[in-house]
């Protein structure tokens, strides 16, 4: 939380500046740190500073790689060499300040590093110190106090903005070594607390995250890692989802297919019954014709009667598919590979059955 808001504030710091251009008048007495943001402000715009003679002059140094307010391709002032710093006013580079010298708020980089800088340096990226040096209450010192030692603490109340509006964000800094924090009341260096321990401020937690419940929560800057079980559960979920959908669609379509098949069966039965009726009528008619005197052994009767069955249904079959295909296949096989054309073939089936 805090490092993030600090980043946010330092971004804001580059945005606001006075409006006086180069050569315009300015008053150095106006230079100040803005309320709430503690951003440096003077009358001059973002590419100039207010010189001691009351004129805005071009800045003489910069701290950022990409400083705000410069046109694209414009010449930028140089960054300062090692052993120097660029103050908030950005008028000119100055040599680093020794211990106990006055420094600007949050400008640990203005102070000279201790001899054992490598051991004291903050590598946690939390802005605890710069090369082991720290600027507290505008005084340069080293962050070298060990557990139980007395320490210096600096509390700065920033105005921050959240979903519920404005709130005070107190940033508390001390000169304890990394891994310890400076307790505001006892002014002693104490070990940072472990996950779940009671806390009152982020600085007390090793994870740098004191939850509103008053216990140290997990480090918010560490990416979330989920267990293998979650991956397995998600994979199973995906497969169950896919195959569940496929199975569901298959069942649904099978039911529709069965309904369709039943309809066709019904149609076929109707047609069949109808055809049987026709045949019976025809047979009855023929029988009555044959029973008439003089028609007993005519050529026609031998032609019709060879198989004892009517062959005059041949015209119905002449456009039908060959025997053994079509509906017989459809009837005997549930794979249901049929189309509208098969509606024409009940006669084939019936004849097959008959013969
Ligand atoms: C700047 O200040 C000088 C003297 O201090 C004054 O004469 C001049 O009018 C001022 N210029 C502007 C633009 O205010
Ligand atoms: C202020 O100083 C700068 C540089 O020293 C100079 O260019 C400028 O003319 C001076 N302005 C006034 C009002 O004296
Ligand atoms: C700790 O830092 C202070 C300056 O803040 C310095 O005077 C003192 O000598 C240092 N102590 C040790 C043990 O390095």
């Amino acid at each position: 939380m805090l490092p993030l808001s600090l980043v946010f504030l330092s971004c804001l710091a580059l945005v606001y500046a006075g409006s006086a251009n180069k050569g315009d008048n300015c008053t150095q007495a106006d230079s100040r740190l803005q309320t709430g943001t503690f951003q440096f402000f003077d009358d001059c715009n973002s590419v100039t500073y207010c010189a001691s003679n009351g004129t805005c002059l071009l800045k003489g140094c910069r701290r950022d790689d990409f400083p705000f307010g410069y046109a694209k391709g414009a010449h930028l002032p140089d960054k300062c060499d090692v052993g120097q710093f660029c103050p908030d006013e950005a008028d000119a580079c100055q040599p680093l300040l020794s211990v106990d010298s006055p420094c600007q708020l949050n400008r640990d980089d203005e102070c000279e590093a201790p001899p054992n800088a490598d051991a004291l340096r903050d590598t946690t990226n939390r802005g605890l110190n710069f090369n082991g040096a720290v600027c507290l209450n505008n005084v340069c010192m080293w962050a070298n106090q060990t557990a139980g030692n007395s320490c210096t603490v600096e509390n700065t109340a920033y105005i921050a903005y959240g979903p519920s509006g404005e709130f005070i964000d107190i940033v508390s800094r001390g000169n304890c070594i990394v891994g310890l924090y400076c307790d505001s009341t006892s002014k002693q260096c104490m070990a940072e607390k472990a996950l779940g321990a009671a806390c009152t401020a982020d600085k007390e937690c090793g994870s740098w995250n004191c939850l509103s419940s008053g216990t140290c929560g997990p480090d918010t800057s560490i990416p979330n890692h989920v267990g293998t079980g979650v991956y397995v559960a998600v994979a199973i979920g995906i497969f169950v989802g896919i195959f569940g959908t496929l199975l569901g669609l298959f069942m649904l379509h099978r039911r529709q297919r069965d309904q369709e098949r039943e309809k066709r069966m019904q149609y076929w039965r109707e047609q069949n019954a109808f055809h049987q009726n026709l045949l019976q009528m025809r047979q009855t008619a023929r029988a009555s014709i044959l029973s008439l005197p003089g028609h007993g052994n005519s050529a026609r009767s031998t032609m019709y009667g060879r198989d004892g069955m009517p062959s005059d249904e041949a015209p119905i079959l002449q456009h039908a598919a060959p025997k053994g295909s079509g509906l017989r296949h459809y009837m005997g096989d549930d794979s249901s590979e049929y189309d509208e054309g098969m509606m024409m073939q009940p006669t084939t089936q019936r004849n097959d059955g008959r013969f």
Side-chain angles (χ1 to χ4, degrees):
M1 286 284 285
L2 289 188
L4 254 186
S5 50
L6 283 177
V7 167
F8 179 64
L9 290 171
S10 57
C11 288
L12 275 182
L14 295 168
V15 178
Y16 298 115
S19 55
N21 295 312
K22 179 192 169 192
D24 289 352
N25 286 351
C26 63
T27 312
Q28 267 195 334
D30 288 346
S31 301
R32 62 183 183 270
L33 296 179
Q34 295 283 55
T35 313
T37 63
F38 296 93
Q39 161 219 352
F40 181 80
F41 173 91
D42 61 18
D43 293 336
C44 302
N45 64 18
S46 37
V47 300
T48 56
Y49 72 97
C50 190
S52 53
N53 63 7
T55 312
C56 289
L57 298 179
L58 286 180
K59 283 181 174 174
C61 64
R62 67 181 158 106
R63 296 168 62 201
D64 300 302
D65 289 333
F66 303 100
F68 176 80
Y70 289 88
K72 196 177 176 186
H75 173 74
L76 303 177
D78 291 331
K79 291 175 95 173
C80 297
D81 292 335
V82 175
Q84 292 186 318
F85 71 90
C86 184
D88 286 348
E89 292 83 354
D91 52 344
C93 291
Q94 296 177 22
L96 289 179
L97 305 166
S98 56
V99 166
D100 292 336
S101 307
C103 53
Q104 294 176 309
L105 179 72
N106 282 338
R107 291 299 306 272
D108 300 346
D109 60 314
E110 295 184 355
C111 302
E112 213 167 46
N116 54 343
D118 285 345
L120 299 183
R121 180 179 293 131
D122 170 30
T123 53
T124 62
N125 218 12
R126 291 175 185 170
L128 299 176
N129 63 56
F130 183 82
N131 283 338
V134 63
C135 178
L136 297 177
N137 305 318
N138 297 109
V139 176
C140 278
M141 53 189 79
W142 294 337
N144 62 0
Q145 299 303 315
T146 49
N149 283 8
S150 67
C151 56
T152 306
V153 69
E154 176 200 63
N155 293 324
T156 312
Y158 292 89
I159 298 174
Y161 300 88
S164 50
E166 222 171 80
F167 65 95
I168 299 296
D169 184 15
I170 297 174
V171 174
S172 182
R173 312 185 68 221
N175 60 341
C176 300
I177 58 169
V178 174
L180 307 179
Y181 71 94
C182 189
D183 185 71
S184 297
T185 45
S186 70
K187 300 283 195 305
Q188 281 194 340
C189 289
M190 296 190 176
E192 287 175 352
K193 295 169 181 172
L195 213 68
C199 60
T200 57
D202 288 340
K203 66 168 180 178
E204 299 176 16
C205 300
S207 57
W208 208 242
N209 179 22
C210 186
L211 300 174
S212 51
S213 59
T215 55
C216 289
D219 193 336
T220 51
S221 65
I222 292 175
N224 257 341
H225 290 289
V226 294
T228 320
V230 176
Y231 286 102
V232 171
V234 168
I236 289 174
I238 289 171
F239 278 105
V240 166
I242 291 173
F243 288 109
T245 307
L246 288 178
L247 193 69
L249 287 174
F250 174 74
M251 307 260 267
L252 182 74
H253 286 140
R254 191 168 61 177
R255 195 180 310 148
Q256 287 174 345
R257 236 166 29 226
D258 289 346
Q259 285 168 355
E260 248 351 83
R261 185 183 295 135
E262 185 50 41
K263 276 187 210 161
R264 282 159 199 244
M265 281 294 290
Q266 217 169 341
Y267 179 79
W268 178 80
R269 281 191 216 102
E270 277 170 17
Q271 294 297 308
N272 194 32
F274 182 59
H275 207 94
Q276 294 291 351
N277 281 347
L278 270 180
L279 279 180
Q280 272 174 6
M281 281 171 61
R282 194 179 288 144
Q283 257 174 326
T284 316
R286 192 178 55 184
S288 56
I289 287 169
L290 287 177
S291 67
L292 290 175
H295 287 81
N297 289 312
S298 73
R300 280 189 63 178
S301 75
T302 48
M303 187 178 86
Y304 282 107
R306 176 166 303 155
D307 297 319
M309 281 302 299
S311 53
D312 51 355
E313 66 183 287
I316 298 175
L317 281 170
Q318 55 182 249
H319 295 297
K323 280 185 175 187
S325 70
L327 197 62
R328 174 208 280 271
H329 171 69
Y330 148 56
M331 288 293 289
D333 180 3
D334 264 357
S335 69
S336 305
E337 274 297 323
Y338 59 89
D339 56 25
E340 288 301 313
M342 289 176 185
M343 297 293 287
M344 303 295 294
Q345 294 166 21
T347 46
T348 316
Q349 166 67 21
R350 176 181 49 73
N351 284 338
D352 289 341
R354 180 69 62 87
F355 301 135

